[in-house]
Amino acid sequence: MQLNPHSTSKAFIRVISVICGVTLLSVFAQNREIDWEKQKAEILRHYRALVQINTSSPPGNETKAVEYLKKVLEAEGIPTRTFALDPNRANLVARLKGNGSKRPLLILAHTDVVPVQMEKWQVDPFGAVMKDGYVWGRGTIDDKDKLVSMLMMMILIKRSAVTLDRDVIFLAESGEEADTTGVGINFMVNQHFDEINAEFAITEGGSARLENGHVVTVNIGTTEKVPRRARLVATGTSGHGSVPRVDNPVTHLAMALGKLGTWEPQMHLNETTRTYFDRLAAVSPPDKAARYRALLDPQRAPQVQRYFAENEPSVYSMIRTSVVPTMLKAGVGANVIPSEAEATLDIRALPGEDIDEFYAEMKRVINDPAVKIVPIPATRPEAPPSRLDTDAYRAFEKVSKQMYPGAVVLPSMSTGASDMAQLRAKGIQSYGIGPAVTEEDRLMYGAHSDVERLSEASLYRLVEFTWNAVMEIAAKK
Ligand SMILES: [Zn+2]
């Protein structure tokens, strides 16, 4: 679609604006106007095409997605560069130049997705099937919705010829979900930082909540929990399955997991979560508000823990370092007692958690010398939260108010991890955004769930939200 079919009329407006000296602002405002109704088909086409490219990681094969993006961008006259540590897992960078009066804005999304269990899906997870107003498929909400949003930013900025105060850099990065060899953000930050260095970054890590068809909260990711995974390794004596042994490592491992499963690590609030629950209470119905307020009160907090564990697990995770068993490995045959049994724990630490002390606490909880805690090397650095007093954060607040009147904007701590950790560690003020979803969507069809989906309407609004924010941050003032 041509956004500015009449370059002559644009030139005419420029002449008039120079003469009058007053309409410059309105010209830029005009360029920024997008007919979103007309944009839908193109957004959907790219989105579905990207979901249909199977980039489940490992192995990722993100280069296939990069090839798609490259073709689309270059057809628009936007040059691209690719950077690959592994040729199958390339990263793509494209830059639209600004006038250099401000430092760049980086918009990024990851191209890989988590694996699928085929039997859990009623539709092809890589079909981008459209049903009941939703697009279904792995990556529909993590992270191909942001990927297509960032792609559309580049396309629309280029076509509408918006004047930029700062460069807008697009990074489509590999290996966010499983980056054991450092092909994605680590490679870009360590080897090609000049290509992506920016004042601000926008990427995944936020969300918005839909209730009765209205957006009630807009979460902007400003900090996140830190993955500090570990393996639990139980050892014992191998032997014949017909002879029970008290040191059977499978039994010891199971008991250790049982203890960890019922253990409740110490609750802790930080500035972000305190602000978050306080603001959330202000816009919640009385029963919910009372529970959020109870969290802020040390006397009452213990009483509401169980409710959150059972009904709002993401809130439960936001207030403590969490320990979640995710994988088990033991045994070679039904009649063989193995000498070792192993579990993987997905531990997500609150920012600032002393992890060595936390492991020591876990050891006391397990209280079994046959079970060892073996830390898995950290893949992400810890970094201070992004600030709330920046032009970027103010832009999100302004745009949220414009698009979703009455919604409250919440600075939020993600329980998940994102590549913002590496960017924040390099001093880039990084903010997470995301589409509006219902409570059911969030619990049943969210990131890394058995089945993922995103409503078509939310997809379009996300692209529009991103555009408005990017224009606020980067377009010439
Ligand atoms: Zn993601």
Side-chain angles (χ1 to χ4, degrees), residues 127-399:
V129 171
M130 296 174 64
K131 195 160 69 82
D132 309 324
Y134 286 87
V135 182
W136 301 71
R138 183 53 96 208
T140 47
I141 197 150
D142 182 16
D143 188 31
K144 287 177 174 170
D145 54 332
K146 270 76 72 187
L147 184 62
V148 80
S149 299
M150 303 322 179
L151 172 66
M152 291 308 301
M153 293 308 106
M154 301 303 279
I155 293 173
L156 295 174
I157 291 171
K158 182 75 162 86
R159 285 186 199 159
S160 57
V162 175
T163 309
L164 300 170
D165 269 346
R166 51 174 107 232
D167 292 3
V168 174
I169 307 166
F170 172 43
L171 168 63
E173 40 139 9
S174 63
E176 194 274 341
E177 300 291 0
D179 191 13
T180 48
T181 49
V183 295
I185 197 68
N186 289 318
F187 175 58
M188 293 308 296
V189 163
N190 296 333
Q191 310 277 325
H192 300 288
F193 189 61
D194 285 352
E195 297 291 333
I196 59 168
N197 192 4
E199 180 175 13
F200 301 123
I202 307 175
T203 186
E204 66 175 347
S207 63
R209 181 186 291 241
L210 266 177
E211 272 174 26
N212 305 317
H214 295 282
V215 171
V216 290
T217 61
V218 178
N219 294 36
I220 302 299
T222 54
T223 184
E224 62 193 41
K225 291 178 90 176
V226 191
R228 289 288 180 255
R229 299 183 180 110
R231 295 185 300 134
L232 278 192
V233 182
T235 46
T237 312
S238 62
H240 199 282
S242 66
V243 183
R245 296 195 57 94
V246 292
D247 67 344
N248 183 329
V250 178
T251 315
H252 281 259
L253 180 69
M255 289 194 296
L257 289 173
K259 287 176 190 165
L260 288 179
T262 52
W263 174 46
E264 201 153 71
Q266 182 68 41
M267 174 184 158
H268 181 72
L269 294 174
N270 56 36
E271 195 190 0
T272 296
T273 49
R274 210 179 292 278
T275 310
Y276 175 87
F277 291 121
D278 187 48
R279 287 194 191 165
L280 192 57
V283 291
S284 298
D287 55 333
K288 280 190 165 194
R291 281 192 293 269
Y292 296 137
R293 290 205 179 92
L295 286 178
L296 302 171
D297 177 355
Q299 299 301 314
R300 290 187 295 150
Q303 299 155 24
V304 289
Q305 300 287 306
R306 200 51 14 213
Y307 177 88
F308 288 112
E310 286 166 9
N311 299 287
E312 291 188 52
S314 60
V315 167
Y316 186 78
S317 178
M318 280 174 70
I319 55 181
R320 58 173 40 79
T321 294
S322 51
V323 181
V324 177
T326 50
M327 295 201 291
L328 287 171
K329 198 173 84 184
V332 290
N335 56 355
V336 182
I337 299 174
S339 59
E340 202 170 284
E342 186 182 309
T344 302
L345 302 175
D346 191 355
I347 299 170
R348 302 293 176 123
L350 291 176
E353 179 82 71
D354 179 341
I355 199 63
D356 291 328
E357 175 47 39
F358 189 82
Y359 290 148
E361 180 68 22
M362 271 172 54
K363 196 169 150 58
R364 286 191 284 275
V365 170
I366 294 168
N367 191 27
D368 182 348
V371 180
K372 299 247 174 319
I373 299 164
V374 183
I376 295 171
T379 51
R380 294 183 198 278
E382 206 183 328
S386 295
R387 299 201 319 265
L388 309 187
D389 62 350
T390 61
D391 285 345
Y393 189 80
R394 277 189 288 271
F396 296 123
E397 287 200 311
K398 180 175 173 184
V399 170

Side-chain angles (χ1 to χ4, degrees), residues 27-34 162 467-468 471-472 475-476:
V27 172
F28 293 121
Q30 242 173 38
N31 284 345
R32 291 161 57 168
E33 294 301 326
I34 303 288
V162 175
W467 172 261
N468 291 337
M471 287 302 98
E472 277 297 319
K476 185 168 167 53

